[in-house]
């Protein structure tokens, strides 16, 4: 590989940015982008056990909504920072909606999983729907205000990716030093 070619990290950065911009422009109307984000948020919050992002990507593609927004909604809505809060909120809300008030103990939770599962799923559906609607509306107004070009400017980095210079080996350095008068 000659020294004139850019470093692999620079090429990877440009490739990633290109495909991200392509995905953002795909079905980039405000409605389709907002629906994709809302779908991803809903699927991400509902217990989908490691298939949330691929499922959101597939369903958004089938429905003609923005696939990048669907994956982003899935990842943003349920991550290690938000999962404990959202699952606790889902359980509490589900018990309040169904009217079941049970003291939760670790041993009791495992033995009575059926008793706890229905209220949790009811609460989870309500929380997922509420967050999906809120995130979808925020995205709709953001895309409508900024437009497709404004969204592109938000994603596009102002910094250019510069190639990382490879350190020259000591043998090359000594050869260069000898050649200079």
């Amino acid at each position: 590989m000659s020294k004139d070619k850019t470093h692999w990290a620079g090429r990877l950065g440009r490739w990633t940015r290109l495909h991200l911009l392509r995905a953002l422009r795909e079905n980039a109307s405000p409605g389709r982008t907002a629906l994709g984000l809302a779908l991803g948020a809903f699927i991400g919050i509902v217990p989908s056990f490691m298939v949330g992002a691929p499922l959101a990507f597939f369903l958004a593609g089938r429905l003609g909504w923005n696939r990048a927004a669907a994956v982003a909604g899935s990842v943003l809505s349920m991550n290690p920072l938000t999962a404990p809060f959202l699952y606790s909120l889902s359980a509490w809300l589900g018990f309040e909606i169904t009217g079941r008030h049970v003291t939760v103990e670790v041993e009791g939770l495992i033995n009575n999983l059926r008793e706890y599962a229905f209220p949790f799923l009811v609460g989870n559906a309500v929380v997922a729907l509420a967050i999906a609607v809120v995130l979808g509306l925020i995205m709709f107004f953001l895309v409508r205000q900024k437009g497709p070009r404004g969204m592109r400017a938000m994603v596009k980095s102002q910094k250019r990716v510069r190639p990382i210079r490879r350190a020259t080996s000591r043998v090359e350095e000594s050869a260069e030093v000898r050649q200079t008068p």
Side-chain angles (χ1 to χ4, degrees), residues 6-24:
T6 59
H7 193 266
W8 66 270
R11 289 186 305 199
L12 180 64
R14 285 189 297 278
W15 181 86
T16 304
R17 192 173 344 154
L18 171 74
H19 287 287
L20 180 61
L21 289 172
R22 279 185 184 171
L24 281 175

Side-chain angles (χ1 to χ4, degrees), residues 6 25 42 47 76 91 94 100-101 108 123 129 134 139-140 146 151 153-154 169 173 175:
T6 59
R25 283 188 228 138
F42 183 82
L76 289 175
R100 295 182 186 177
H101 296 285
L129 185 62
V134 168
M139 181 58 99
F140 177 77
K146 297 280 186 185
M151 292 301 291
M154 285 174 55
S169 68
E173 276 183 27

Side-chain angles (χ1 to χ4, degrees), residues 102-140:
V102 183
T103 58
V104 178
E105 299 174 3
V106 175
E107 295 171 4
L109 178 67
I110 294 170
N111 293 333
N112 298 321
L113 191 58
R114 288 184 185 169
E115 187 177 334
Y116 298 128
F118 179 71
F120 172 75
L121 291 175
V122 168
N124 192 267
V126 171
V127 168
L129 185 62
I131 290 176
V133 168
V134 168
L135 287 178
L137 288 173
I138 290 170
M139 181 58 99
F140 177 77

Side-chain angles (χ1 to χ4, degrees), residues 51-132:
V51 296
L55 183 62
F57 183 84
F58 174 74
L59 288 177
R62 296 295 291 167
L63 295 170
W65 299 343
N66 193 314
R67 294 183 294 181
V71 171
S74 176
V75 171
L76 289 175
S77 64
M78 188 56 68
N79 57 56
L81 297 176
T82 60
F85 171 73
L86 291 176
Y87 283 156
S88 299
L89 179 64
S90 296
W92 174 79
L93 189 61
F95 283 122
E96 290 295 321
I97 290 172
T98 59
R100 295 182 186 177
H101 296 285
V102 183
T103 58
V104 178
E105 299 174 3
V106 175
E107 295 171 4
L109 178 67
I110 294 170
N111 293 333
N112 298 321
L113 191 58
R114 288 184 185 169
E115 187 177 334
Y116 298 128
F118 179 71
F120 172 75
L121 291 175
V122 168
N124 192 267
V126 171
V127 168
L129 185 62
I131 290 176

Side-chain angles (χ1 to χ4, degrees), residues 9-11 13-14 17 159-163:
R11 289 186 305 199
R14 285 189 297 278
R17 192 173 344 154
K159 295 181 187 177
R160 293 192 154 221
V161 178
R162 293 184 182 175

Side-chain angles (χ1 to χ4, degrees), residues 155-168:
V155 172
K156 192 173 183 180
S157 171
Q158 297 301 325
K159 295 181 187 177
R160 293 192 154 221
V161 178
R162 293 184 182 175
I164 300 171
R165 291 188 168 196
R166 293 187 341 184
T168 57

Side-chain angles (χ1 to χ4, degrees), residues 3 23 36 73 83 89 99 123 129 167 176 180:
K3 292 182 182 181
L89 179 64
L129 185 62
E176 290 174 9
T180 57

